[in-house]
Amino acid sequence: MEASDVKALGGSGCRQGDLFSPTHWSVVLAAGRGESEPEVAQAALADLCQIYWTPLYSFVRSRGYTVHDAQDLTQSFFGYLIEHKIYKRVDPHKGRFRSFLLASLKNFLAHASHRERTLKRGGGQKFLPLHEEQIENAESLFQTHSSTSSEDRVFERSWAAALVTAGLERLAADYKRESKEKLFNELRAFLGGGASPPPPYAELAVRLRMSESTLRSHVTRLRARYREVLHAEVCRTVETEAQAQEELHVLLRVLTES
């Protein structure tokens, strides 16, 4: 990300609509308090867990487990989370989803050797469908950050990368719905993180058959929308705006330190 994008991300808050979406973390916590249906909470939790599979897999790998055992344990953990309704134990005042998941995983791993099903693929669970590409990307991400000094740091970096990936996918889908997929693909480099720097504005403007000032306006709008989708991803995993701001600051720290 560009430095200006990072600063802007930290200076914005989350909308109430994002914070209290009926399909996310607030619903899970409400179920823990007996204020919503367990089935609704499980669906919300499954939706949230999709993005966290990779960070948790990275953490398990950092404990020294093989690729296949780490896959099995991560899948088993999600099944355990649902079956035993672990989310009911969350303290509403300390209810950040990221912290809850990591603490729960550490506890799960501490007792994993005592569970007969742990090292069966998914523990007999089919909680989260996996694809080879997803597994390969998760392992690649772990290898990228495996030299990090601590297991928790591996998790943090993988979490930040997963949020960025989810944000980019969401943004790409938005542009595709607007029949602007080609424009997004051309401008994607201006969001940073690519293998090479973005092309000069003058050169790209010629290729896209638009003025340089128009191109700059498109890039400005893209960056603004990118910040918005990252905000939304963070807001899905907290219950209050104060917690959202805390998570945004952590995300910024991890991204800038990486």
Side-chain angles (χ1 to χ4, degrees):
M1 299 177 69
E2 299 290 336
S4 57
D5 295 330
V6 171
K7 291 178 181 178
L9 179 60
S12 299
C14 296
R15 296 183 298 273
Q16 290 285 16
D18 291 326
L19 285 172
F20 301 105
S21 169
T23 59
H24 302 123
W25 188 224
S26 59
V27 171
V28 178
L29 291 178
R33 297 189 294 263
E35 299 170 1
S36 69
E37 294 297 325
E39 294 77 9
V40 177
Q42 289 181 13
L45 186 57
D47 185 42
L48 289 173
C49 285
Q50 283 288 351
I51 190 175
Y52 279 87
W53 193 93
T54 293
L56 291 177
Y57 168 86
S58 293
F59 182 86
V60 176
R61 283 282 282 130
S62 71
R63 285 281 179 97
Y65 290 98
T66 65
V67 171
H68 292 299
D69 284 354
Q71 292 174 30
D72 295 338
L73 281 164
T74 305
Q75 285 290 80
S76 294
F77 167 68
F78 282 124
Y80 171 77
L81 203 66
I82 288 294
E83 182 180 349
H84 296 275
K85 298 181 174 63
I86 304 301
Y87 53 83
K88 287 188 174 182
R89 306 175 188 174
V90 178
D91 182 345
H93 301 293
K94 300 178 181 178
R96 286 185 294 276
F97 184 62
R98 176 174 57 87
S99 301
F100 157 72
L101 269 188
L102 185 56
S104 298
L105 177 63
K106 288 179 178 179
N107 181 66
F108 177 81
L109 292 176
H111 301 89
S113 61
H114 301 297
R115 298 188 179 98
E116 294 180 358
R117 65 183 181 176
T118 297
L119 294 181
K120 297 176 183 177
R121 184 56 57 90
Q125 304 280 343
K126 297 296 182 182
F127 179 57
L128 291 180
L130 292 180
H131 307 287
E132 283 302 317
E133 182 179 1
Q134 180 183 358
I135 294 172
E136 291 174 1
N137 289 341
E139 177 61 19
S140 175
L141 191 60
F142 165 72
Q143 293 296 337
T144 299
H145 300 306
S146 60
S147 61
T148 302
S149 58
S150 71
E151 299 166 347
D152 286 15
R153 185 68 172 136
V154 170
F155 174 80
E156 274 193 346
R157 288 191 172 189
S158 298
W159 163 72
L163 280 181
V164 167
T165 297
L168 288 173
E169 289 176 350
R170 183 170 171 176
L171 192 57
D174 288 346
Y175 271 77
K176 185 175 182 179
R177 280 193 296 271
E178 297 167 7
S179 300
K180 297 179 179 178
E181 186 175 10
K182 180 180 178 181
L183 178 63
F184 176 79
N185 291 335
E186 292 283 3
L187 301 185
R188 164 68 180 81
F190 289 95
L191 297 179
S196 57
Y201 279 103
E203 175 186 317
L204 185 57
V206 171
R207 187 159 76 235
L208 293 177
R209 298 181 180 179
M210 62 177 63
S211 67
E212 189 171 333
S213 61
T214 299
L215 174 59
R216 290 181 181 275
S217 295
H218 279 299
V219 172
T220 298
R221 285 195 293 271
L222 174 66
R223 286 174 171 166
R225 293 175 68 173
Y226 182 41
R227 293 193 295 269
E228 289 176 0
V229 296
L230 285 180
H231 293 161
E233 289 298 330
V234 169
C235 290
R236 295 169 66 197
T237 63
V238 294
E239 195 180 23
T240 69
E241 186 169 353
Q243 292 172 351
Q245 286 299 314
E246 291 176 7
E247 289 294 87
L248 283 170
H249 284 299
V250 173
L251 176 62
L252 292 176
R253 173 178 58 79
V254 176
L255 289 174
T256 52
E257 289 179 357
S258 298

